[in-house]
Amino acid sequence: MVPSGQAVEKPVTPEPELKSWRFLVSFLCFYGFMAQMRPGESFITPYLLGPEKNFTRKQVTNEIIPVLSYSYMVVLVPIFLLTDYLRYKPVLVLQGLSYVSVWLLLLLGTSVLHMQFLEFFYSVTMASRIAYSSYIFSLVRPARYQRMAGYSRAAVLLGVFSSSVLGQLLVTVGGISFTLLNYISLGFLLFSLVLALFLKRPKRSLFFNRSEPVSSGASPSEVDHMHPGPGAPARRKLGAAPAAWRDWVLARMLRELGSNLRVPQLRLWTLWWVFNSTGYYLIIYYVHILWTVIQPTTSSTAVYNGGADALSTLLSAIAAFAAGFVDIRWALWAKLVIAVVTAAQAGLVFLLYSTKNIWLCYLAFVLFRGFYQFLVPIATFQIASSLSKELCALVFGVNTLFATILNTIITLIVSDKWGLGLPVHSQFLVYFMYFVVLSVAYLVAGLRDLWHFRRSLHQPLPLSQELRSPLEEKAAQALSTQHGDLRSLQPDAPPLTPEDITWTSAPAPREQSQQPEAKA
């Protein structure tokens, strides 16, 4: 006999997997590849400065490009929410329409205002990348997350690499003009927009559209078990008031996020994500203008931007792959590793600022991107290894939002005509100083941790005071607390490796939690 009002506990069964998931994943990866086929993208800056458009370098540097940071900050949060609420496909279609708008404005626009609208639509495409990154998790069961995420990421990287190589070959070997190259890019984008229209729209998503555990056999969300109060309403009652339920879930997630950020390693890598991503994207936004300063030319065959982009993409993929094999005690050495990598990036930025050799400039850019991409998967694992899927999405979303806000502030002060309006060379000196300050801060913090650790070797410490990985610290908290909510925060999906700073990610696979010492 079951007491009245008490629900019968049923065994949790995994979410059903679509029978056609192989075809859907293949089609999504093909779409991801084709959406990156924009061979003219590496040559947009010389196209704007060339005789076809005849904008001045000051207009491009101080009036056009700064709009990208401002508009990205404005559209980031709304598109993140719409991506989940509308279940991915409409946002992918919006991304395709925005890409087409970008290239139509690029080809037909004649004023600074047209180019500013171009930057706005490009910011929409950047914010919409979350839809592609998240879509694949709605097609397969959690056991396949890691492999499928790898497939989708590989499709994007292969698309970027192929696009850059194709653009460079068409310009250098084929001798075609930048205008014709942009028309070819527009053709590829129209084709990818058609592909987006044929994508299947999932029935569930991460936050707003969940499968019911009884009717669909899906397990309840981990968020539903966070901080269950004594008067918490039942799940069936929450379904009757979806708006209140969403507000309640978000409030609980924010409280849980604040609790998680007390873990030193999570806090460290979150700060790295915010500050280093800001510097990384400032370099990415303005390096093409710097190349036109170092090698001003009206001949399209003498521009090798596509080759530099292709090589940097290839090195980024290799660096991200190699990061998975680095086996050190991150709880002890993380700050020093970050300090060394950031110092190397500072040196490369100074080389970009000081050199007058375009080939050295290309090489510095390739290595700069490679160093950043080496730490991205490590940061992703360190942040996601002890978080639930929902909290991972929130953490990476908040990180990206704060990085975008900081990027916007620096752009307003340094680049915008309403601020200092510095020329691009002077901007790179500012960015060099920015990376120097970061590397010194990481170095001081790392040496302090190392000094404390060596002191601790001479006296035994309780287990709770030892340096641990985030997962070990989380486990210790779970054992010491009287609430069961933190014990439910076990990862059930692998992390993405977001090169384009998407809003969401999935956590590391469960088997990694069985070897915390190796990753520590």
Side-chain angles (χ1 to χ4, degrees):
M1 293 292 293
V2 179
S4 58
Q6 182 177 346
V8 179
E9 242 180 75
K10 296 186 178 182
V12 175
T13 56
E15 293 188 357
E17 189 174 54
L18 296 172
K19 294 181 180 179
S20 57
W21 69 269
R22 287 186 176 84
F23 171 77
L24 294 174
V25 167
S26 300
F27 187 80
L28 180 64
C29 290
F30 179 64
Y31 164 79
F33 174 85
M34 293 305 305
Q36 302 304 317
M37 291 301 294
R38 306 183 297 272
E41 187 167 30
S42 300
F43 305 93
I44 288 180
T45 299
Y47 175 68
L48 294 177
L49 299 176
E52 295 91 344
K53 294 300 176 183
N54 205 29
F55 290 105
T56 66
R57 188 175 289 112
K58 184 175 180 60
Q59 286 176 319
V60 176
T61 305
N62 305 123
E63 297 182 46
I64 296 175
I65 291 184
V67 176
L68 178 61
S69 297
Y70 307 149
S71 53
Y72 184 48
M73 183 180 66
V74 171
V75 303
L76 187 60
V77 174
I79 288 183
F80 165 65
L81 298 176
L82 286 175
T83 296
D84 193 89
Y85 186 74
L86 299 178
R87 289 172 285 154
Y88 313 122
K89 178 180 175 178
V91 177
L92 289 175
V93 174
L94 174 64
Q95 183 186 47
L97 291 171
S98 298
Y99 268 131
V100 171
S101 301
V102 167
W103 257 263
L104 286 176
L105 286 167
L106 185 64
L107 290 165
L108 305 178
T110 56
S111 66
V112 171
L113 182 61
H114 291 155
M115 297 303 107
Q116 290 174 334
F117 273 110
L118 179 153
E119 296 292 348
F120 169 77
F121 283 112
Y122 193 81
S123 71
V124 174
T125 68
M126 291 176 59
S128 301
R129 291 171 184 172
I130 174 188
Y132 175 79
S133 301
S134 308
Y135 186 106
I136 200 164
F137 297 116
S138 68
L139 303 178
V140 297
R141 63 175 183 264
R144 304 186 194 274
Y145 279 178
Q146 184 172 17
R147 183 171 296 181
M148 296 303 107
Y151 290 163
S152 62
R153 184 64 187 163
V156 169
L157 291 175
L158 184 60
V160 173
F161 178 78
S162 302
S163 174
S164 302
V165 170
L166 176 62
Q168 190 64 62
L169 290 176
L170 290 175
V171 167
T172 305
V173 180
I176 69 172
S177 65
F178 291 145
T179 302
L180 180 55
L181 188 63
N182 284 320
Y183 275 110
I184 295 174
S185 300
L186 180 60
F188 277 119
L189 292 172
L190 287 171
F191 178 66
S192 67
L193 175 59
V194 173
L195 291 178
L197 295 175
F198 287 94
L199 289 170
K200 179 181 176 63
R201 190 180 184 188
K203 294 182 179 180
R204 57 187 172 88
S205 58
L206 190 60
F207 294 107
F208 296 128
N209 306 284
R210 299 174 186 272
S211 301
E212 291 297 328
V214 176
S215 59
S216 67
S219 60
S221 168
E222 294 173 11
V223 176
D224 296 334
H225 300 293
M226 291 181 187
H227 299 293
R235 185 180 177 88
R236 51 186 175 84
K237 293 182 180 179
L238 292 176
W245 176 80
R246 292 165 192 162
D247 294 339
W248 183 47
V249 168
L250 182 59
R252 285 182 294 161
M253 290 177 67
L254 289 173
R255 288 196 301 269
E256 192 64 32
L257 176 59
S259 175
N260 277 272
L261 288 179
R262 296 172 187 167
V263 179
Q265 287 296 296
L266 294 178
R267 189 166 57 246
L268 167 67
W269 288 102
T270 295
L271 291 174
W272 175 87
W273 198 284
V274 172
F275 288 106
N276 287 60
S277 294
T278 296
Y280 172 78
Y281 276 95
L282 287 169
I283 299 299
I284 295 297
Y285 290 164
Y286 290 97
V287 72
H288 286 78
I289 301 178
L290 181 67
W291 291 343
T292 64
V293 174
I294 295 176
Q295 187 184 32
T297 178
T298 57
S299 173
S300 61
T301 58
V303 178
Y304 295 93
N305 295 6
D309 286 337
L311 187 58
S312 64
T313 301
L314 181 61
L315 181 61
S316 297
I318 295 173
F321 179 78
F325 295 91
V326 177
D327 187 13
I328 65 174
R329 187 165 185 170
W330 288 107
L332 178 61
W333 298 103
K335 293 176 184 176
L336 291 177
V337 171
I338 293 175
V340 171
V341 172
T342 306
Q345 288 181 299
L348 292 170
V349 173
F350 184 77
L351 182 59
L352 287 168
Y353 161 75
S354 59
T355 186
K356 298 186 182 302
N357 186 313
I358 189 62
W359 297 106
L360 279 178
C361 201
Y362 284 149
L363 178 62
F365 170 71
V366 169
L367 293 176
F368 177 85
R369 282 192 68 182
F371 276 120
Y372 174 79
Q373 293 301 328
F374 171 75
L375 287 182
V376 165
I378 297 172
T380 302
F381 167 76
Q382 291 291 323
I383 293 173
S385 60
S386 58
L387 299 177
S388 67
K389 185 167 55 178
E390 291 86 354
L391 278 181
C392 274
L394 188 62
V395 167
F396 285 108
V398 171
N399 289 351
T400 303
L401 177 62
F402 279 113
T404 304
I405 292 173
L406 181 58
N407 187 306
T408 302
I409 293 172
I410 296 175
T411 299
L412 180 62
I413 296 174
V414 176
S415 306
D416 198 283
K417 68 174 183 177
W418 301 109
L420 297 176
L422 296 179
V424 69
H425 244 119
S426 301
Q427 288 185 38
F428 271 74
L429 181 59
V430 174
Y431 304 151
F432 160 69
M433 296 170 62
Y434 176 85
F435 277 98
V436 167
V437 170
L438 288 181
S439 62
V440 170
Y442 291 133
L443 180 62
V444 171
L447 291 177
R448 184 189 61 185
D449 285 354
L450 189 61
W451 181 71
H452 284 302
F453 175 75
R454 293 194 180 280
R455 282 191 61 190
S456 69
L457 294 179
H458 301 287
Q459 52 184 357
L461 291 178
L463 182 63
S464 60
Q465 297 180 10
E466 290 181 0
L467 290 172
R468 308 184 181 120
S469 68
L471 190 58
E472 291 173 313
E473 295 193 28
K474 196 66 179 180
Q477 292 179 12
L479 291 173
S480 62
T481 184
Q482 297 299 319
H483 303 286
D485 51 300
L486 290 182
R487 286 191 292 270
S488 67
L489 299 180
Q490 296 298 325
D492 55 13
L496 299 177
T497 313
E499 190 267 339
D500 31 32
I501 304 294
T502 58
W503 184 270
T504 185
S505 180
R510 289 185 182 274
E511 51 266 24
Q512 289 177 338
S513 65
Q514 299 173 2
Q515 298 176 343
E517 187 62 30
K519 292 297 182 184

